[in-house]
Amino acid sequence: MERFNFEMADVLVVDDQASNIQLIYQVLHSDYNIYMARSGAEALELIKTQRPDIILLDVYMPELSGLELCRMLKGNPIYCDIPIIFITSFTEPEQEVECWEAGGVDFVQKPINQLTLSKRVKAHLTLKFQADVLKRLVNLDGLTGIYNRRYFDEQGAIFFSNSQQTNVGFSVVMFDIDYFKDFNDRYGHLVGDDCLKKVSSCINRLVNDDHKLFARYGGEEFILLISEASLLDVKSLIESICNAVAALKIPHESSKCSAYVTVSAGAIYCDNPEIARLNDLVEQSDAQLYRAKDAGRNQVFLKEILNPF
């Protein structure tokens, strides 16, 4: 049974009243890392850089209410699994229903009972950490530790749909380790597995943010989705990835394009994702990858699509 280190848990308290934040801090700060926001907008900015394990959220705040903030977070696949406990003074059943429907997992009534607050936070953190363990088992590739094909098939569509709403440039990139079958034949599958781990880890370090989704697509192929980036930024990122993999200097005596392990990349940049289909973009990026391989490998083929149809 995996043990959870609650001292490492991050708790975000969102309340427009400083006195309420101070009280919650006094109750929880000895057990958790506490972060504070005085408005819904401030909380949204903080979450982008410091993703919390749980949120304690006041229902009634000016401008962006707790209910509205909760709905926004639950509608975003990146943040939807963060448990939200509402801190509230409501007494009407209709208000309670609103909180449940917005996506809250529990309530703590004002004035706050300190023991109740402490027990409920610990209970929901336990449930979240247990769910995180199960998600890792289901969604992560057992060898490389990055997202697997199952996760990509489920979450890639959601990621793309969210990007379509902004209608800002969207890219699909396919990577393939050059002459990997020959690598396995020469060095053996154990060394091949180690190579896959190193390459995937190298790429993952460069693409680990909310605007990218990186997964093992199958065998020695990897796929990367990029939202809200310009064509030049995408091109620069792909080149950085290819250079970083080459800089690992993993010997590959059977390669016909380099003395070290390299990757080829095929990419599609779509200016108008709102009218595109993800499957079409994946197929076209795969076609660009085959162009790169046919041209000698260890290179990038990037195509811009102005009209996906």
Side-chain angles (χ1 to χ4, degrees):
M1 177 70 68
E2 182 167 344
R3 294 185 177 182
F4 309 120
N5 186 356
F6 289 105
E7 292 181 359
M8 300 299 293
D10 294 328
V11 178
L12 173 60
V13 183
V14 187
D15 197 308
D16 61 323
Q17 298 296 319
S19 58
N20 293 333
I21 292 178
Q22 184 62 32
L23 174 59
I24 295 173
Y25 177 83
Q26 290 174 355
V27 175
L28 300 177
H29 81 278
S30 61
D31 297 314
Y32 311 108
N33 301 318
I34 309 298
Y35 299 88
M36 295 160 279
R38 294 285 300 276
S39 69
E42 184 181 339
L44 282 175
E45 289 303 310
L46 183 59
I47 289 168
K48 292 177 183 178
T49 57
Q50 185 63 51
R51 178 192 173 94
D53 293 301
I54 193 168
I55 299 173
L56 304 181
L57 179 58
D58 185 26
V59 175
Y60 302 112
M61 294 185 296
E63 297 182 6
L64 184 62
S65 73
L67 290 171
E68 292 170 323
L69 175 59
C70 185
R71 293 189 192 103
M72 293 174 65
L73 294 175
K74 294 303 174 180
N76 188 324
I78 298 172
Y79 306 119
C80 64
D81 61 344
I82 302 174
I84 296 175
I85 298 177
F86 281 110
I87 308 297
T88 178
S89 57
F90 61 63
T91 57
E92 298 298 325
E94 294 80 5
Q95 296 170 311
E96 188 172 309
V97 169
E98 277 191 303
C99 291
W100 288 125
E101 291 180 342
V105 298
D106 211 337
F107 311 92
V108 173
Q109 293 279 356
K110 296 178 183 178
I112 293 173
N113 181 299
Q114 297 185 15
L115 183 59
T116 297
L117 175 64
S118 177
K119 291 291 186 181
R120 288 185 177 171
V121 168
K122 185 172 183 178
H124 286 290
L125 280 174
T126 300
L127 291 172
K128 181 186 185 297
F129 291 161
Q130 289 173 341
D132 288 346
V133 171
L134 293 175
K135 285 179 182 178
R136 285 199 297 270
L137 293 175
V138 172
N139 295 327
L140 298 187
D141 178 61
L143 176 64
T144 63
I146 65 172
Y147 288 128
N148 57 22
R149 177 67 178 271
R150 173 194 176 103
Y151 182 87
F152 174 80
D153 289 341
E154 292 179 351
Q155 296 299 316
I158 298 174
F159 183 88
F160 180 61
S161 177
N162 287 338
S163 300
Q164 286 181 302
Q165 296 174 20
T166 64
N167 203 28
V168 181
F170 185 87
S171 300
V172 180
V173 190
M174 298 285 291
F175 295 97
D176 185 89
I177 300 178
D178 295 321
Y179 299 106
F180 189 68
K181 181 182 182 301
D182 297 324
F183 184 94
N184 274 335
D185 291 343
R186 175 174 286 269
Y187 301 105
H189 287 280
L190 289 178
V191 179
D193 286 350
D194 188 57
C195 174
L196 283 169
K197 292 177 187 176
K198 290 178 179 176
V199 170
S200 61
S201 178
C202 174
I203 299 175
N204 196 45
R205 284 194 298 269
L206 296 175
V207 299
N208 191 16
D209 65 56
D210 292 345
H211 296 295
K212 301 175 183 67
L213 193 159
F214 178 57
R216 186 179 180 187
Y217 199 67
E220 67 273 21
E221 283 192 342
F222 304 92
I223 190 165
L224 172 64
L225 305 184
I226 308 171
S227 67
E228 300 184 33
S230 69
L231 177 64
L232 289 178
D233 287 341
V234 171
K235 183 175 185 294
S236 176
L237 175 62
I238 298 172
E239 290 174 348
S240 296
I241 289 171
C242 293
N243 290 335
V245 171
L248 295 173
K249 292 192 174 181
I250 303 171
H252 191 350
E253 296 179 11
S254 296
S255 173
K256 300 178 180 63
C257 61
S258 173
Y260 302 104
V261 167
T262 57
V263 293
S264 297
I268 290 294
Y269 179 85
C270 181
D271 280 310
N272 192 8
E274 187 177 26
I275 59 174
R277 290 185 292 265
L278 180 59
N279 287 343
D280 293 340
L281 298 180
V282 171
E283 288 179 4
Q284 292 185 64
S285 66
D286 197 42
Q288 294 302 308
L289 174 61
Y290 274 94
R291 288 186 63 199
K293 293 164 73 172
D294 289 341
R297 310 197 188 202
N298 190 22
Q299 53 191 292
V300 177
F301 271 63
L302 171 60
K303 180 180 179 180
E304 180 180 13
I305 300 177
L306 299 177
N307 187 343
F309 295 114

